[in-house]
Amino acid sequence: MTIQAHTSPLTSLAVTPDCRQIISGSWDNTLKVWNLNKTRKLHISTRHSNLVGAIAVTPDGKKVISSSGKPLLGSSDKTLKVWDIETGNKLFTLTGSNWYIKSVIVSPDCKWVISGLDQISINIWNLRTEKKHFTITGHTAKINTMTVTHDSKLLISGSNDKTIKVWNLETGSEVFTLKGHTDQVTLVTIAANNERLISASKDKTIKVWNLKTRALINTVTGHSEKVNSLALTSHDRLIVSGSNDKTIKIWDLETGTELYTLIGHTDSVQAVALTPNGKQVISSSIDNTLKVWNLKTGQEIFSITGNGNQVNTVTVTPDSKHLIYHISYDNSIQVLDLESQNVIASFTGESALTCCAVASDGMTIVAGEASGRVHFLRLETR
């Protein structure tokens, strides 16, 4: 199906956890909620005074949080608005930010709303009390990355000041600071057991920390340039990293040992991802290719070329059977069978497709188009 969603280009898309609704934000200053099953827009009263920038759905699927502002800047009015997804009514406005809001994350327990990327302070709102809880300060340079532990108790942030800070989300106090990187921290991520913190840096290293003892377990070295991306296998045993040095490396999480290097890209590796079954690594690069690798053997299985354009959004279906991707400035998305390596379906829009997502049913694909349309596609099995 295709839905004429907006009168201007889309800026953001989100899918509710139950896969029943799609939320779209646009340059036309509106935020719209769509019922995926009935293919109709729900009644909403949502209109910002400026374009809709960032949106986030709470993990319980009941609320959507939005910011508005100028392109690439997020919220110029320094507020976040919270809406009831079912009724479309604005519940309340979260105020108190001292800077534009570029991005927003919600803790897994739906209690905390957090913003702060590209700033030196972090703002925390309590979604239950509808009030700003506190502003966290402590970093001395721009914050590049943030994540929340799976139990929603701790917030971790990485900064250009070369430090990683761990904060108590209930009190706002700094629990401790991890020092060791010699250049800006680019990424932080948490292992599923909440015990390991993994960080990447422009200093070419990856560090593995024990969150309970605060000890540095390993410093993983081997990349010769900045580390851009990290991924963890579902069993938390392997780290996959991509770097400006054109390589992807596979590491043992416990020992920090480099197991092998995936070589084939001719320019910086910007993103790495793992299929849900943990068997394949997918990487995209500025060299305009997307590569699929066998995680066990380290061998390149096949490569997709963007014909002069970079391969953008890459999504794998939950069953690990299909890869959905699109190429910059291309009006189409492709569905590729990972086993046969054949494109089994494609869809072409009237203008460039800018983003796509796949629902947890593994069949529903949602694609956003620069024209403002949101397309709902169904992948039929053969």
Side-chain angles (χ1 to χ4, degrees):
M1 66 189 79
T2 300
I3 291 180
Q4 180 64 48
H6 293 275
T7 57
S8 297
L10 277 79
T11 57
S12 46
L13 277 177
V15 183
T16 55
D18 62 7
C19 302
R20 293 180 179 179
Q21 295 165 325
I22 308 296
I23 298 94
S24 58
S26 170
W27 283 23
D28 65 9
N29 300 357
T30 65
L31 181 73
K32 297 187 178 182
V33 183
W34 306 88
N35 187 312
L36 186 57
N37 295 328
K38 296 181 180 179
T39 322
R40 64 179 177 85
K41 182 171 72 69
L42 299 182
H43 295 291
I44 58 170
S45 58
T46 310
R47 188 172 183 87
H48 281 281
S49 59
N50 210 323
L51 69 87
V52 176
I55 58 175
V57 179
T58 54
D60 60 11
K62 294 181 179 180
K63 301 180 182 69
V64 62
I65 302 162
S66 63
S67 68
S68 67
K70 298 178 181 178
L72 305 180
L73 291 183
S75 176
S76 59
D77 63 11
K78 305 176 185 177
T79 66
L80 292 168
K81 291 179 171 56
V82 182
W83 312 85
D84 185 295
I85 289 181
E86 185 65 30
T87 65
N89 294 326
K90 187 178 77 171
L91 299 175
F92 48 88
T93 299
L94 301 174
T95 61
S97 177
N98 55 1
W99 196 241
Y100 67 83
I101 299 168
K102 183 179 180 181
S103 62
V104 58
I105 58 176
V106 183
S107 61
D109 63 0
C110 299
K111 184 176 182 179
W112 308 111
V113 177
I114 303 150
S115 70
L117 294 185
D118 279 351
Q119 304 173 34
I120 62 172
S121 61
I122 302 170
N123 289 303
I124 311 291
W125 289 269
N126 188 315
L127 198 53
R128 297 172 185 173
T129 64
E130 306 176 11
K131 296 180 180 180
K132 184 178 177 181
H133 196 50
F134 40 66
T135 296
I136 292 174
T137 59
H139 282 295
T140 58
K142 183 182 79 169
I143 297 167
N144 296 316
T145 177
M146 294 189 300
T147 190
V148 177
T149 53
H150 304 292
D151 59 9
S152 299
K153 292 182 178 180
L154 300 175
L155 169 69
I156 296 98
S157 57
S159 167
N160 278 359
D161 64 12
K162 310 174 188 178
T163 69
I164 301 159
K165 289 185 180 290
V166 180
W167 316 85
N168 184 307
L169 271 175
E170 192 67 43
T171 65
S173 59
E174 180 181 323
V175 182
F176 56 89
T177 298
L178 300 174
K179 297 180 179 180
H181 284 295
T182 59
D183 209 329
Q184 60 184 253
V185 179
T186 55
L187 287 166
V188 290
T189 188
I190 301 290
N193 61 10
N194 268 344
E195 293 182 0
R196 297 285 189 269
L197 167 66
I198 300 94
S199 60
S201 171
K202 194 177 178 180
D203 67 9
K204 311 170 190 177
T205 70
I206 300 165
K207 291 183 181 293
V208 181
W209 314 80
N210 186 310
L211 269 181
K212 292 185 177 180
T213 66
R214 311 178 187 182
L216 176 63
I217 300 172
N218 288 308
T219 295
V220 179
T221 59
H223 282 297
S224 58
E225 293 188 40
K226 174 186 173 184
V227 180
N228 294 316
S229 51
L230 288 175
L232 293 178
T233 55
S234 58
H235 49 61
D236 287 343
R237 294 178 183 173
L238 302 177
I239 304 171
V240 181
S241 60
S243 167
N244 278 357
D245 65 12
K246 310 174 188 177
T247 70
I248 301 110
K249 291 183 181 291
I250 315 299
W251 317 83
D252 184 284
L253 177 62
E254 287 300 320
T255 65
T257 304
E258 179 183 329
L259 302 178
Y260 47 89
T261 299
L262 309 180
I263 298 175
H265 284 295
T266 59
D267 210 328
S268 300
V269 177
Q270 294 299 296
V272 292
L274 291 162
T275 53
N277 62 11
K279 294 182 178 181
Q280 295 169 328
V281 178
I282 300 162
S283 60
S284 64
S285 167
I286 295 178
D287 66 9
N288 301 328
T289 66
L290 178 146
K291 294 184 182 291
V292 180
W293 314 78
N294 185 307
L295 181 59
K296 186 176 181 179
T297 65
Q299 298 299 308
E300 180 182 330
I301 302 172
F302 62 93
S303 179
I304 297 169
T305 302
N307 297 320
N309 292 308
Q310 187 171 339
V311 180
N312 281 343
T313 306
V314 178
T315 305
V316 182
T317 54
D319 61 7
S320 301
K321 292 182 178 180
H322 300 109
L323 174 67
I324 299 107
Y325 68 93
H326 77 82
I327 298 169
S328 298
Y329 310 112
D330 192 347
N331 294 1
S332 67
I333 58 173
Q334 313 292 327
V335 180
L336 186 135
D337 185 293
L338 282 170
E339 183 176 356
S340 69
Q341 303 175 24
N342 294 323
V343 174
I344 61 170
S346 64
F347 171 78
T348 301
E350 293 182 6
S351 59
L353 296 172
T354 56
C355 52
C356 70
V358 61
S360 60
D361 62 7
M363 304 296 290
T364 306
I365 300 169
V366 185
E369 187 179 323
S371 66
R373 293 180 175 87
V374 178
H375 303 282
F376 299 86
L377 313 170
R378 185 164 183 82
L379 180 62
E380 299 292 350
T381 57
R382 296 184 177 182

